Amino acid sequence: MSAPPATAVAWAAADPYAAALRAGHGPLFLRRADGWLLPLEVERWCARADAVDLDVLDRCEGAVLDVGCGPGRLVAELATRGRAVLGIDVSAAAVDHTVRMGGQALRRSVFEPLPGEGRWDTVLLMDGNIGIGGEPRALLDRVAALLRPGGLLIAETAPVDIDERAQVRVVGLTDARGAGDPFPWARLGTPALLRYARGWKRAGQWTADGRRFAALRTRSRRTASSSAEPPKRTAVISSQRARNTSAGRPVPDR
């Protein structure tokens, strides 16, 4: 499956985003064509995982793929726990930051070929990344293909009930027109996400410190837990990017 070129190229070429990650702070925004600005929480993304993040990570199972990992706070935290985890991001600055924090990451779009397709136990779509590509159903279909049967998706949704798709640019305060071409993005509240999640099993939803989350499972003939719970095992990514010799089955590159 090919990456949506507008998303991958425009976001990766957004110099304000790369500059903000290198500095560790904003201000940074997504800007719609009508001038509306969505603030991006660069400082939180560049910090270590907070209590809300840690609760999400406690619910992850087995080998974890963090889609749109940004500067890598979640990947780094899972790595310190000895978990098999890989981050992917289209931004070179994000991947570099993740590696500096001690995580493993690839510069890759979720719509490009990835290691371990169909074998991941958990996929994360945090920090609004359910909006990647601007087509939520296409993204959910792609995530389902990455997960094992019965695998878990944990997505952070918008704090309001919204279902919006728009062309956006990444901008700072001094470059209000933005860098590069606009790219498609979506904002979804939990009700909208659940409407798009046909063929998925609902595994829970919760709110913490003003942030909202939903957990979904791919359908499987095997018995799977009905809710997102802390993992009972650690799987293994067998590659030079991440290695863990604890019990579990391998999730090989291909």
Side-chain angles (χ1 to χ4, degrees):
M1 184 181 296
S2 298
T7 300
V9 175
W11 182 277
D15 290 340
Y17 179 68
L21 292 193
R22 293 187 181 107
H25 61 81
L28 198 67
F29 308 88
L30 288 183
R31 182 186 187 277
R32 287 191 319 220
D34 62 4
W36 182 85
L37 297 173
L38 174 68
L40 300 178
E41 299 182 76
V42 178
E43 290 85 354
R44 181 170 64 81
W45 298 349
C46 289
R48 291 287 175 178
D50 62 21
V52 178
D53 297 328
L54 296 178
D55 176 68
V56 170
L57 299 184
D58 287 343
R59 300 168 188 260
C60 292
E61 301 170 352
V64 180
L65 179 68
D66 185 2
V67 173
C69 65
R73 73 189 191 281
L74 305 178
V75 176
E77 173 61 28
L78 285 170
T80 64
R81 299 182 183 190
R83 299 289 297 280
V85 57
L86 177 67
I88 60 168
D89 204 289
V90 296
S91 164
V95 170
D96 290 345
H97 196 286
T98 300
V99 172
R100 287 198 302 274
M101 289 188 74
Q104 305 294 330
L106 291 175
R107 189 180 182 188
R108 200 80 58 88
S109 162
V110 66
F111 293 99
E112 293 179 295
L114 293 171
E117 296 203 12
R119 297 174 176 84
W120 293 97
D121 297 294
T122 303
V123 168
L124 294 175
L125 286 171
M126 296 282 281
D127 304 321
N129 284 331
I130 190 64
I132 289 173
E135 291 292 341
R137 189 163 287 126
L139 180 58
L140 287 170
D141 288 346
R142 176 57 177 149
V143 170
L146 293 170
L147 285 166
R148 63 170 175 81
L152 180 68
L153 165 64
I154 300 179
E156 183 171 357
T157 57
V160 294
D161 187 1
I162 190 171
D163 184 355
E164 175 187 85
R165 273 156 281 185
Q167 295 286 318
V168 299
R169 285 185 168 92
V170 179
V171 302
L173 285 180
T174 59
D175 54 349
R177 296 184 62 185
D181 296 327
F183 56 91
W185 197 257
R187 293 178 67 217
L188 299 183
T190 298
L193 171 61
L194 296 178
R195 288 195 297 271
Y196 286 114
R198 287 186 247 170
W200 292 76
K201 292 182 179 180
R202 299 184 186 187
Q205 53 186 288
W206 65 97
T207 300
D209 197 23
R211 295 165 62 189
R212 295 187 181 180
F213 303 89
L216 302 168
R217 285 193 184 278
T218 57
R219 296 197 177 270
S220 171
R221 293 175 183 167
R222 300 194 299 271
T223 299
S225 171
S226 60
S227 63
E229 298 176 349
K232 295 183 175 63
R233 64 182 178 85
T234 301
V236 179
I237 300 174
S238 178
S239 75
Q240 72 274 19
R241 287 182 295 277
R243 186 172 298 276
N244 183 339
T245 57
S246 60
R249 71 181 187 284
V251 182
D253 286 349
R254 70 178 189 182

